[in-house]
Amino acid sequence: MQVKDYFSEIQNLLRRSAFIENVDVKYEAKSKTVGLIYGNIGMVDGSTLQFLELIDRKDNEIIRPKYRFHFMDSGDKMIFRYDNAPHHPEVPTYPHHKHIRDEEKPKQSKEIGLRDVLSNIEGTIIR
């Protein structure tokens, strides 16, 4: 799978998602195997996902050397944020972690991509 194929999959996912209201997403192919996707996705309930996903194809697997997915409610208050910034070495899944609103300490997380985050969000959207 090349980066452009992954970009096409994401574009199709965004078009098919009934809970997404607007999309402002940029796609940058750095090479055939490395790419960057970033932007904002507005949901039908007024919540927003701001994200950045650097992808790299290793063999036939997509890895994410850098990512952040910041999901906010309609009042711009964080609901959750996944990222792999190396600033929480105390988390067993370091550098992968998840921040949750009103929780002081980050939670364990695996490497996560846009498809999984959107699936997570879909379960929280109420029309």
Side-chain angles (χ1 to χ4, degrees), residues 15-88:
R15 274 195 290 272
R16 289 191 321 262
S17 297
F19 62 95
I20 293 175
E21 188 168 75
N22 57 67
V23 175
D24 180 14
V25 175
K26 307 288 188 258
Y27 302 86
E28 296 179 11
K30 303 295 185 184
S31 72
K32 287 184 178 183
T33 61
V34 177
L36 184 66
I37 307 173
Y38 60 95
N40 297 302
I41 301 171
M43 311 303 165
V44 295
D45 67 350
S47 59
T48 305
L49 176 67
Q50 296 177 344
F51 75 98
L52 175 140
E53 182 177 33
L54 176 64
I55 60 160
D56 189 358
R57 182 180 56 108
K58 297 286 187 196
D59 300 317
N60 282 325
E61 185 180 350
I62 296 286
I63 62 167
R64 293 162 183 87
K66 183 174 184 171
Y67 63 86
R68 71 174 174 271
F69 301 97
H70 188 81
F71 185 49
M72 298 172 292
D73 65 19
S74 59
D76 290 334
K77 292 186 179 177
M78 182 187 75
I79 298 171
F80 65 73
R81 181 176 70 248
Y82 288 96
D83 69 80
N84 64 346
H87 55 236
H88 288 289

Side-chain angles (χ1 to χ4, degrees), residues 82-99:
Y82 288 96
D83 69 80
N84 64 346
H87 55 236
H88 288 289
E90 74 280 7
V91 177
T93 54
Y94 176 83
H96 310 286
H97 60 279
K98 180 181 182 180
H99 300 270

